[in-house]
Amino acid sequence: MTEIRSMTGYGKGSVVCGDRRITVEIKTLNGKQMDLSVKIPSLYRSKEFDIRSLVTKRLLRGKADIFVTYETIEGKAASPVDAAMFTEYYRQIEKAASPLGLETRSGEVVAAVLRMPDVVKAPCEQLGPEEEAALMEAATEAVTRLDDFRRHEGEILIADIMKRVDRIEKLSVEAASYDAERVEAVRKRIKDNIEAGGITVDPNRFEQELIFYIEKLDITEEKVRLKKHIDYFRRTVAEDEAPGRKIGFICQEMGREINTTGSKANHAEMQRIVVEMKDELEKIKEQSLNIL
């Protein structure tokens, strides 16, 4: 059996490059098409297409939100101070404050000097090859962890779905077991109604009409087609890499056969079984929406 994946998941990757920690987070939900939303700092905007391509190839379809962030690691100075410029500004402040008797040896003054032009040199905001590689490494790690998450969720989902498929198959066999009993009950009810009405009928013609009527209630074809749909469902899950969309279509075909069986049932116990099959099928449909 191929590895089944859920479309719902979360993955995070983080890589340190120089004085920066680059983090990529991906959150996914189910969706019919590929729908990507990327929030990325302007510094890394040139790599957005590469990140989108990486994620699209791995996810195939669904809604995905990608968040790219970076932070300066504590203890690593990213913005050096120009000591000469700092000293010059500080001397000018002292010179201006001295005649007024103002205190200049305080943290507020130091903070004010640091905000003066050209005292703190901003780092050059250019994306180098090493940081590009680190960014893509973080994105790859996030996608890999997301894939692991989705594979684990997929295993749980498909196990539950296949149990319900097995249940529908057993219920179909159980419904068919009431067929002979149902036919006899229909025959007896019609005959009793005719006798109670005092109606005289030709026995041969009565049997012919009764057979014709009972044939309309026959569920053999529905049972056979439902079994084929169930077998196809199992093959699809076992062989297709992304069976979610296809098994949704198969569920529609299974539903048609179950509904037709219900319309022909004309038997209380068979109707109860049909309701159970419909309930199991609806749960399968809900679960399959999350299957890739």
Side-chain angles (χ1 to χ4, degrees):
M1 179 181 291
T2 58
E3 293 184 327
I4 303 298
R5 289 169 172 77
S6 167
M7 282 195 286
T8 303
Y10 172 80
K12 179 179 179 181
S14 184
V15 174
V16 173
C17 179
D19 59 356
R20 285 178 178 155
R21 177 179 286 107
I22 304 169
T23 302
V24 177
E25 295 179 88
I26 308 174
K27 299 177 183 178
T28 61
L29 296 172
N30 62 56
K32 294 182 179 180
Q33 307 297 331
M34 189 72 249
D35 181 13
L36 283 182
S37 173
V38 182
K39 293 184 178 179
I40 187 169
S42 58
L43 175 63
Y44 300 144
R45 187 67 63 187
S46 62
K47 300 300 293 180
E48 180 178 344
F49 178 79
D50 293 336
I51 293 173
R52 282 179 175 272
S53 298
L54 172 67
V55 174
T56 300
K57 288 178 182 177
R58 297 288 291 274
L59 301 190
L60 299 181
R61 69 186 180 96
K63 177 176 174 55
D65 292 315
I66 306 171
F67 304 91
V68 180
T69 58
Y70 69 89
E71 59 183 340
T72 301
I73 300 174
E74 186 178 353
K76 295 189 176 182
S79 302
V81 175
D82 188 322
M85 190 65 71
F86 179 92
T87 302
E88 182 59 29
Y89 276 122
Y90 193 83
R91 285 176 179 174
Q92 290 182 26
I93 291 174
E94 280 189 322
K95 185 177 180 181
S98 182
L100 301 174
L102 299 177
E103 176 61 45
T104 59
R105 298 183 181 278
S106 66
E108 289 80 359
V109 175
V110 172
V113 173
L114 289 173
R115 289 195 293 269
M116 294 295 183
D118 301 324
V119 173
V120 178
K121 296 180 179 178
C124 182
E125 290 291 301
Q126 292 183 348
L127 188 61
E130 290 185 4
E131 197 161 352
E132 284 185 357
L135 172 61
M136 296 309 298
E137 183 182 344
T140 302
E141 181 183 351
V143 173
T144 300
R145 292 187 176 182
L146 170 66
D147 195 50
D148 291 341
F149 186 103
R150 296 189 350 151
R151 186 164 52 247
H152 175 70
E153 289 294 310
E155 290 174 359
I156 296 173
L157 279 174
I158 203 63
D160 181 72
I161 286 174
M162 296 314 296
K163 285 180 182 179
R164 298 187 187 282
V165 170
D166 292 343
R167 175 66 175 157
I168 289 175
E169 185 176 33
K170 290 178 181 178
L171 287 169
S172 177
V173 173
E174 184 180 345
S177 69
Y178 289 98
D179 202 30
E181 176 186 324
R182 176 187 60 136
V183 170
E184 186 57 38
V186 170
R187 181 190 298 273
K188 185 176 184 305
R189 184 172 68 250
I190 294 175
K191 188 174 182 180
D192 290 346
N193 289 338
I194 290 174
E195 291 176 353
I199 303 172
T200 302
V201 297
D202 183 306
N204 292 329
R205 181 63 183 272
F206 172 74
E207 288 297 327
Q208 289 176 359
E209 293 296 332
L210 189 60
I211 290 172
F212 179 72
Y213 177 72
I214 290 175
E215 282 181 349
K216 291 184 178 180
L217 302 179
D218 185 64
I219 62 168
T220 301
E221 289 186 12
E222 286 72 25
K223 182 182 71 173
V224 171
R225 284 196 294 263
L226 179 58
K227 179 64 168 64
K228 288 183 178 179
H229 294 326
I230 289 173
D231 291 342
Y232 186 35
F233 191 106
R234 289 177 176 141
R235 287 200 307 273
T236 300
V237 169
E239 298 171 3
D240 286 24
E241 292 184 4
R245 186 174 293 166
K246 187 180 288 186
I247 64 177
F249 296 143
I250 298 173
C251 283
Q252 293 178 16
E253 298 303 317
M254 290 170 63
R256 289 191 182 95
E257 305 308 328
I258 293 172
N259 287 333
T260 305
T261 299
S263 66
K264 290 183 175 183
N266 202 14
H267 186 279
E269 193 61 25
M270 287 179 69
Q271 290 285 11
R272 179 193 65 78
I273 293 171
V274 167
V275 169
E276 285 192 39
M277 287 195 288
K278 287 182 177 181
D279 182 53
E280 294 292 351
L281 185 62
E282 284 303 309
K283 291 174 181 175
I284 292 171
K285 289 180 179 178
E286 291 175 8
Q287 298 281 47
S288 65
L289 291 175
N290 284 325
I291 295 293
L292 179 63

